[in-house]
Amino acid sequence: MSRAPLALLRRVPYFAGLPDAILTALSAVAIERSYRRGEMIFLEGEPCAGLYVVAAGEIKIFKLSPQGREQILHRLGVGGTFNDVAVLDGGPNPASAGAVSDASCLVIVRSDMRRLAETHPQLAWALIESIAHRARILVGMVEDLALRPVKARLAKLLLAEAVQAAASQDAGDDAIDRSQMVTQADMAARLGTVREMVGRALRELSEDGLIAMDRHRIVIQDREGLVAVAEGS
C-alpha cells in the first residue's frame, strides 16, 4: 500500500470534506487487496464485493459484448472509487473491473458501508453525490456515442489525456506518452469503436496538422483546432 488508509480516503473527492471521525471509521473497516497487471478484480454479474478505492496503480471498469468486444466505462487512478452502485443497491456488479497496471485497493464491504452510512448522515450524502457524479459521466458517454463521430470522440480523449499527463508530470507541452494509452485497441475500447477506426482518425488528425505522432508520444500541435474537432465545429 503506497498510502495510509486515512490519507488515501481524503483523496476521494466526495470523502474529502468528511470529518476525520468518519474517515477513521471507514479506514478501520477497509481491507487492502493487491492485483497484478492484467488481473481481473471482479466480473459483471457477480455478487457485490464492496466499495473499492484505488490506492496505487490504475484500474479499468468495462463491459463485454457477447462477441467479446470491450467497452471501457472508466479508467481510475489513485483516489478513484468504483462499484458504488452495487454497494448502495445490493445488486450484482454492474460491470467488470481489471488492473491496467500493478495496483492495490482498499475495499469496504457493503454491510460495513451501510452501517456507517446509517450512523453518519454526512457519509450517506457523500455516497449520493458519488452516484450523481457517475450519472453525469454516463450521460456524457451516451451523448458522445450517439452524437459525436469517432474523430470527435478521439479528439476529446486526446485533450483529456494531455491534461492528465501535464498534471501528473508537472509539464505543459501537450504531449501524451503512448504507453499510457497502451494500444489503438485500448483507445477503441474507450471510444466505443474498433481499432481500424481509431487508426484512421489518428491519421486524419495528423494530416490536418492537429497532432504529431511517433512510436512513443502523441503531441498536440494545434490545441484550438483539436478542440474545434472535439466540439464538432
Side-chain angles (χ1 to χ4, degrees):
M1 183 69 63
S2 62
R3 293 174 174 84
L6 191 60
L8 173 64
L9 292 174
R10 287 197 182 98
R11 294 194 59 171
V12 177
Y14 55 91
F15 284 170
L18 294 177
D20 285 352
I22 298 178
L23 296 181
T24 299
L26 285 170
S27 65
V29 298
I31 302 165
E32 178 186 344
R33 292 182 181 161
S34 298
Y35 307 93
R36 303 296 295 175
R37 178 179 179 179
E39 183 177 351
M40 189 69 66
I41 296 172
F42 57 68
L43 292 171
E44 177 182 354
E46 291 180 340
C48 172
L51 176 74
Y52 288 72
V53 182
V54 183
E58 187 176 12
I59 304 297
K60 66 177 180 180
I61 311 302
F62 63 97
K63 295 181 76 74
L64 289 175
S65 73
Q67 295 75 34
R69 179 173 161 183
E70 181 181 86
Q71 170 68 59
I72 296 177
L73 304 177
H74 310 288
R75 286 181 67 147
L76 303 166
V78 174
T81 64
F82 57 100
N83 222 31
D84 312 52
V85 171
V87 166
L88 290 181
D89 71 6
N93 303 323
S96 300
V100 176
S101 63
D102 289 350
S104 61
C105 297
L106 292 182
V107 185
I108 304 171
V109 299
R110 183 171 187 266
S111 58
D112 285 330
M113 184 62 73
R114 179 171 180 173
R115 173 177 56 81
L116 291 172
E118 290 173 347
T119 305
H120 303 286
Q122 286 174 283
L123 174 60
W125 187 254
L127 292 170
I128 291 170
E129 288 184 336
S130 79
I131 295 301
H133 177 66
R134 290 275 186 261
R136 285 185 180 276
I137 291 174
L138 291 175
V139 168
M141 180 176 291
V142 170
E143 178 186 5
D144 285 347
L145 291 173
L147 303 177
R148 285 189 172 90
V150 171
K151 187 175 178 180
R153 302 204 300 269
L154 177 60
K156 185 177 178 181
L157 176 63
L158 293 175
L159 289 164
E161 287 292 319
V163 170
Q164 183 175 333
S168 63
Q169 300 168 11
D170 194 25
D173 63 352
D174 277 346
I176 305 163
D177 183 349
R178 296 192 74 166
S179 66
Q180 294 176 350
M181 303 180 78
V182 189
T183 63
Q184 289 184 14
D186 180 75
M187 284 188 270
R190 298 173 68 179
L191 296 173
T193 186
V194 294
R195 181 179 59 81
E196 291 77 12
M197 292 294 291
V198 170
R200 182 184 306 168
L202 283 170
R203 288 193 298 272
E204 290 178 2
L205 292 175
S206 178
E207 291 168 357
D208 292 342
L210 304 180
I211 64 172
M213 299 184 294
D214 59 33
R215 292 183 58 187
H216 305 291
R217 299 197 311 167
I218 298 175
V219 179
I220 296 175
Q221 295 188 309
D222 182 351
R223 171 169 284 276
E224 290 185 1
L226 198 62
V227 168
V229 172
E231 295 177 348
S233 57

PDB file of all heavy atoms in Angstrom, residues 81-95:
ATOM      1  N   THR A  81     -12.890   5.754  -7.031  1.00  0.00           N
ATOM      2  CA  THR A  81     -13.698   4.692  -6.427  1.00  0.00           C
ATOM      3  C   THR A  81     -14.501   3.982  -7.502  1.00  0.00           C
ATOM      4  O   THR A  81     -14.816   4.557  -8.547  1.00  0.00           O
ATOM      5  CB  THR A  81     -14.665   5.252  -5.372  1.00  0.00           C
ATOM      6  OG1 THR A  81     -15.613   6.120  -6.006  1.00  0.00           O
ATOM      7  CG2 THR A  81     -13.926   6.013  -4.283  1.00  0.00           C
ATOM      8  N   PHE A  82     -14.841   2.731  -7.234  1.00  0.00           N
ATOM      9  CA  PHE A  82     -15.708   2.004  -8.156  1.00  0.00           C
ATOM     10  C   PHE A  82     -16.541   0.978  -7.408  1.00  0.00           C
ATOM     11  O   PHE A  82     -16.270   0.644  -6.269  1.00  0.00           O
ATOM     12  CB  PHE A  82     -14.909   1.360  -9.302  1.00  0.00           C
ATOM     13  CG  PHE A  82     -13.799   0.420  -8.904  1.00  0.00           C
ATOM     14  CD1 PHE A  82     -13.989  -0.953  -8.948  1.00  0.00           C
ATOM     15  CD2 PHE A  82     -12.551   0.899  -8.512  1.00  0.00           C
ATOM     16  CE1 PHE A  82     -12.960  -1.821  -8.608  1.00  0.00           C
ATOM     17  CE2 PHE A  82     -11.518   0.041  -8.167  1.00  0.00           C
ATOM     18  CZ  PHE A  82     -11.728  -1.334  -8.215  1.00  0.00           C
ATOM     19  N   ASN A  83     -17.592   0.539  -8.078  1.00  0.00           N
ATOM     20  CA  ASN A  83     -18.615  -0.361  -7.550  1.00  0.00           C
ATOM     21  C   ASN A  83     -19.546   0.343  -6.572  1.00  0.00           C
ATOM     22  O   ASN A  83     -20.220  -0.305  -5.766  1.00  0.00           O
ATOM     23  CB  ASN A  83     -18.014  -1.610  -6.900  1.00  0.00           C
ATOM     24  CG  ASN A  83     -18.788  -2.861  -7.276  1.00  0.00           C
ATOM     25  OD1 ASN A  83     -19.345  -2.936  -8.371  1.00  0.00           O
ATOM     26  ND2 ASN A  83     -18.827  -3.837  -6.391  1.00  0.00           N
ATOM     27  N   ASP A  84     -19.636   1.661  -6.679  1.00  0.00           N
ATOM     28  CA  ASP A  84     -20.518   2.451  -5.824  1.00  0.00           C
ATOM     29  C   ASP A  84     -21.972   1.994  -5.937  1.00  0.00           C
ATOM     30  O   ASP A  84     -22.691   1.888  -4.930  1.00  0.00           O
ATOM     31  CB  ASP A  84     -20.443   3.938  -6.199  1.00  0.00           C
ATOM     32  CG  ASP A  84     -19.033   4.461  -6.333  1.00  0.00           C
ATOM     33  OD1 ASP A  84     -18.254   3.843  -7.077  1.00  0.00           O
ATOM     34  OD2 ASP A  84     -18.711   5.489  -5.712  1.00  0.00           O
ATOM     35  N   VAL A  85     -22.432   1.736  -7.177  1.00  0.00           N
ATOM     36  CA  VAL A  85     -23.838   1.385  -7.398  1.00  0.00           C
ATOM     37  C   VAL A  85     -24.200   0.102  -6.675  1.00  0.00           C
ATOM     38  O   VAL A  85     -25.209   0.026  -5.960  1.00  0.00           O
ATOM     39  CB  VAL A  85     -24.126   1.264  -8.908  1.00  0.00           C
ATOM     40  CG1 VAL A  85     -25.520   0.682  -9.143  1.00  0.00           C
ATOM     41  CG2 VAL A  85     -23.998   2.623  -9.586  1.00  0.00           C
ATOM     42  N   ALA A  86     -23.390  -0.937  -6.843  1.00  0.00           N
ATOM     43  CA  ALA A  86     -23.699  -2.226  -6.215  1.00  0.00           C
ATOM     44  C   ALA A  86     -23.671  -2.128  -4.693  1.00  0.00           C
ATOM     45  O   ALA A  86     -24.448  -2.794  -4.003  1.00  0.00           O
ATOM     46  CB  ALA A  86     -22.711  -3.289  -6.700  1.00  0.00           C
ATOM     47  N   VAL A  87     -22.788  -1.295  -4.170  1.00  0.00           N
ATOM     48  CA  VAL A  87     -22.721  -1.119  -2.716  1.00  0.00           C
ATOM     49  C   VAL A  87     -24.022  -0.522  -2.188  1.00  0.00           C
ATOM     50  O   VAL A  87     -24.511  -0.908  -1.125  1.00  0.00           O
ATOM     51  CB  VAL A  87     -21.524  -0.222  -2.331  1.00  0.00           C
ATOM     52  CG1 VAL A  87     -21.644   0.255  -0.889  1.00  0.00           C
ATOM     53  CG2 VAL A  87     -20.225  -0.989  -2.502  1.00  0.00           C
ATOM     54  N   LEU A  88     -24.619   0.395  -2.947  1.00  0.00           N
ATOM     55  CA  LEU A  88     -25.818   1.074  -2.478  1.00  0.00           C
ATOM     56  C   LEU A  88     -27.087   0.259  -2.704  1.00  0.00           C
ATOM     57  O   LEU A  88     -27.986   0.265  -1.853  1.00  0.00           O
ATOM     58  CB  LEU A  88     -25.940   2.440  -3.149  1.00  0.00           C
ATOM     59  CG  LEU A  88     -24.912   3.485  -2.707  1.00  0.00           C
ATOM     60  CD1 LEU A  88     -25.152   4.796  -3.432  1.00  0.00           C
ATOM     61  CD2 LEU A  88     -24.978   3.716  -1.207  1.00  0.00           C
ATOM     62  N   ASP A  89     -27.196  -0.431  -3.852  1.00  0.00           N
ATOM     63  CA  ASP A  89     -28.461  -1.136  -4.101  1.00  0.00           C
ATOM     64  C   ASP A  89     -28.408  -2.620  -3.755  1.00  0.00           C
ATOM     65  O   ASP A  89     -29.435  -3.302  -3.770  1.00  0.00           O
ATOM     66  CB  ASP A  89     -28.939  -0.929  -5.548  1.00  0.00           C
ATOM     67  CG  ASP A  89     -28.106  -1.668  -6.598  1.00  0.00           C
ATOM     68  OD1 ASP A  89     -27.210  -2.456  -6.242  1.00  0.00           O
ATOM     69  OD2 ASP A  89     -28.372  -1.446  -7.798  1.00  0.00           O
ATOM     70  N   GLY A  90     -27.217  -3.139  -3.432  1.00  0.00           N
ATOM     71  CA  GLY A  90     -27.111  -4.532  -3.027  1.00  0.00           C
ATOM     72  C   GLY A  90     -27.175  -5.528  -4.161  1.00  0.00           C
ATOM     73  O   GLY A  90     -27.144  -6.754  -3.934  1.00  0.00           O
ATOM     74  N   GLY A  91     -27.276  -5.036  -5.398  1.00  0.00           N
ATOM     75  CA  GLY A  91     -27.346  -5.926  -6.544  1.00  0.00           C
ATOM     76  C   GLY A  91     -25.969  -6.407  -6.982  1.00  0.00           C
ATOM     77  O   GLY A  91     -24.944  -6.072  -6.363  1.00  0.00           O
ATOM     78  N   PRO A  92     -25.921  -7.195  -8.034  1.00  0.00           N
ATOM     79  CA  PRO A  92     -24.628  -7.687  -8.529  1.00  0.00           C
ATOM     80  C   PRO A  92     -23.796  -6.571  -9.142  1.00  0.00           C
ATOM     81  O   PRO A  92     -24.299  -5.471  -9.403  1.00  0.00           O
ATOM     82  CB  PRO A  92     -25.030  -8.726  -9.578  1.00  0.00           C
ATOM     83  CG  PRO A  92     -26.378  -8.268 -10.051  1.00  0.00           C
ATOM     84  CD  PRO A  92     -27.055  -7.675  -8.845  1.00  0.00           C
ATOM     85  N   ASN A  93     -22.533  -6.859  -9.383  1.00  0.00           N
ATOM     86  CA  ASN A  93     -21.655  -5.878 -10.009  1.00  0.00           C
ATOM     87  C   ASN A  93     -22.221  -5.491 -11.382  1.00  0.00           C
ATOM     88  O   ASN A  93     -22.477  -6.373 -12.208  1.00  0.00           O
ATOM     89  CB  ASN A  93     -20.250  -6.451 -10.196  1.00  0.00           C
ATOM     90  CG  ASN A  93     -19.645  -6.922  -8.888  1.00  0.00           C
ATOM     91  OD1 ASN A  93     -19.831  -6.313  -7.846  1.00  0.00           O
ATOM     92  ND2 ASN A  93     -18.891  -8.016  -8.940  1.00  0.00           N
ATOM     93  N   PRO A  94     -22.408  -4.193 -11.668  1.00  0.00           N
ATOM     94  CA  PRO A  94     -22.970  -3.785 -12.959  1.00  0.00           C
ATOM     95  C   PRO A  94     -21.973  -3.834 -14.107  1.00  0.00           C
ATOM     96  O   PRO A  94     -22.353  -3.725 -15.272  1.00  0.00           O
ATOM     97  CB  PRO A  94     -23.431  -2.354 -12.695  1.00  0.00           C
ATOM     98  CG  PRO A  94     -22.523  -1.869 -11.616  1.00  0.00           C
ATOM     99  CD  PRO A  94     -22.224  -3.063 -10.753  1.00  0.00           C
ATOM    100  N   ALA A  95     -20.696  -3.964 -13.812  1.00  0.00           N
ATOM    101  CA  ALA A  95     -19.656  -4.031 -14.842  1.00  0.00           C
ATOM    102  C   ALA A  95     -18.481  -4.809 -14.261  1.00  0.00           C
ATOM    103  O   ALA A  95     -18.473  -5.169 -13.074  1.00  0.00           O
ATOM    104  CB  ALA A  95     -19.224  -2.631 -15.264  1.00  0.00           C
TER     105      ALA A  95
END
